[in-house]
Structure formats: structure tokens, C-alpha cells
Amino acid sequence: MADDFDYNDIAERYIASWNEPDPETRKKLVEELWVEDCTYYNRLFVVSGRGMMPFVVGRAHDEYYGKGFCFRYQNDAYGHHGGMRFRWVMVSSATGEVDTFGEDFVILDESGRIRVDYQFAMKKPSV
């Protein structure tokens, strides 16, 4: 597998999908990022299949955006041999204060789309 992906671009688009308020635009971002038979793991649940991802991402957006938060990418994506990791923070949209921080480890297919995503929230949200 070639290591010529723009890892920062993938991570930026990933975070943009979680911040996107428009459901149709969010769905398009998800379809561009994830393979059809993807799997997403976080501390609470597992989701299989790209068809479920717009719902999962949308629910997170609605919950946290509704409470005054947004996600920010930390511009630190690194990867090789189909694996990639990057960090993020969830911040107050009003003040920029960090509420939660975490990182994701993803496995990419040969075209740079997400096959598997392991999300690690290093601090549970206080909300």
C-alpha cells in the first residue's frame, strides 16, 4: 500500500463532517470518507456500515452543537501502511475552552477511505 495520502486532509474532512449542520452536506462528506462496509468503534457502541454513519455523526453534531460545542482538529495526522491517527478537541463555540479531547486511529483502504475507526475520548464530555 502506498503511503502517499494527505493524512491532514483526511482528518480535516473527517472533523468537518462532525461539525457540518446541513444533513445532506454531512451525508455527502460521510459518503466521500467512508467505505460501504466500514466499522466505527467508540466507548459506547459499535456501528457497522456507511449507511448508519450519517445518523451517528448527525446525532453527535445535534447533541454537542446544541449544547454550544464544536470539534477542532489538532493538525497532527500521521500514518503509514494503511493506518492513521489524529487528535481532536471538543471546545465551547463561545469561548474556545476545551471540554473534551481525544484521538482516532483509522484504517484506510487503498484509496484513502476509512474502513475502520477506533475513537478514543481521553476525557468524557462534561455535558
Side-chain angles (χ1 to χ4, degrees), residues 1-2 5 7 10 13-14 29-42 46-51 53 80-84 86 104-119:
M1 172 175 284
F5 300 128
Y7 295 109
I10 295 167
R13 291 184 295 122
Y14 179 96
L29 288 168
V30 166
E31 288 173 351
E32 292 171 355
L33 283 166
W34 298 79
V35 299
E36 185 67 36
D37 61 345
C38 64
T39 306
Y40 167 72
Y41 299 90
N42 78 11
V46 176
V47 174
S48 295
R50 185 174 65 207
M53 291 309 299
H80 60 83
H81 296 92
M84 178 181 100
F86 60 94
D104 283 56
F105 176 76
V106 300
I107 299 171
L108 305 171
D109 74 355
E110 59 280 346
S111 66
R113 293 170 71 192
I114 299 169
R115 288 181 32 225
V116 179
D117 178 4
Y118 294 93
Q119 184 180 82

Side-chain angles (χ1 to χ4, degrees), residues 8-64:
N8 282 313
D9 176 67
I10 295 167
E12 286 171 1
R13 291 184 295 122
Y14 179 96
I15 295 299
S17 72
W18 294 82
N19 285 324
E20 177 55 52
D22 178 65
E24 287 305 312
T25 302
R26 186 169 46 237
K27 182 179 179 186
K28 184 176 188 262
L29 288 168
V30 166
E31 288 173 351
E32 292 171 355
L33 283 166
W34 298 79
V35 299
E36 185 67 36
D37 61 345
C38 64
T39 306
Y40 167 72
Y41 299 90
N42 78 11
R43 65 185 174 82
L44 300 174
F45 55 84
V46 176
V47 174
S48 295
R50 185 174 65 207
M52 288 299 297
M53 291 309 299
F55 173 77
V56 171
V57 175
R59 287 291 303 248
H61 174 272
D62 293 348
E63 178 180 352
Y64 296 117

